[in-house]
Amino acid sequence: DTGVSQNPRHKITKRGQNVTFRCDPISEHNRLYWYRQTLGQGPEFLTYFQNEAQLEKSRLLSDRFSAERPKGSFSTLEIQRTEQGDSAMYLCASSLGAMSREQFFGPGTRLTVL
Amino acid sequence: ILNVEQSPQSLHVQEGDSTNFTCSFPSSNFYALHWYRWETAKSPEALFVMTLNGDEKKKGRISATLNTKEGYSYLYIKGSQPEDSATYLCAFSTGGGNKLTFGTGTQLKVEL
């Protein structure tokens, strides 16, 4: 399968714990995006990378959130001191360069904070 | 603040019915309009990316139109089948097209 993959698919954690999600984009894609979808809403933009550089972060991304893409390939999204409001579907997408309009999505990681 | 609105929120149709959904978006600083189909437990699947006013695209029984001047797009499904059951999302991008702003989606259920 050469699509975007995300791990884990599901994560249940207790409030206050740290969690980390991983996204593997399509191999030749140099742009990588993170979105979050909460119940009843459409996906909301969190941040994106061009290769290893993080070019934009949404105001939704509080100080407890950090994203990295160290070698310009896979990316991780870490949430520290999770809160119940962090419960959501976290989606990753990738695209081929600045001129490509199409973003290809992974299946998401469903986070539940108890 | 960009706002993308979709209607209806949900729709139940019978197999064989044709249906359509609406997406409205801000008409200023338009770059592209995207339609995705999202089935439960799967990745959102790109259906169409449209950029030009008056664009019409077709993929099998599904087609879409775009009006950038008035800020709306329609998605049509002809002869709905149970496998069309999914949430249909539209998303709007501006400027360099870096980030997508999504609507809340239309949840379609096609019954036998």
Side-chain angles (χ1 to χ4, degrees), chain A residues 31-103:
Chain A
R31 284 203 167 185
L32 186 148
Y33 304 80
W34 285 99
Y35 294 85
R36 178 175 72 183
Q37 187 199 29
T38 54
L39 198 61
Q41 301 297 316
E44 296 173 293
F45 170 79
L46 293 178
T47 188
Y48 89 94
F49 293 84
Q50 169 97 6
N51 299 313
E52 65 274 12
Q54 188 173 18
L55 295 187
E56 188 174 347
K57 294 197 298 185
S58 162
R59 58 183 169 78
L60 294 175
L61 216 63
S62 75
D63 290 345
R64 296 183 297 105
F65 288 70
S66 62
E68 293 183 343
R69 195 182 182 199
K71 297 180 181 178
S73 56
F74 73 91
S75 175
T76 59
L77 178 67
E78 181 184 17
I79 309 174
Q80 296 183 324
R81 304 181 303 283
T82 52
E83 301 173 356
Q84 288 185 325
D86 297 331
S87 296
M89 174 73 84
Y90 290 83
L91 289 164
C92 174
S94 68
S95 71
L96 183 63
M99 297 307 294
S100 173
R101 298 177 179 91
E102 191 166 9
Q103 293 183 23

Side-chain angles (χ1 to χ4, degrees), chain B residues 24-37:
Chain B
S24 63
F25 54 88
S27 54
S28 61
N29 203 20
F30 174 84
Y31 186 68
L33 192 285
H34 304 242
W35 282 101
Y36 285 88
R37 175 171 59 202

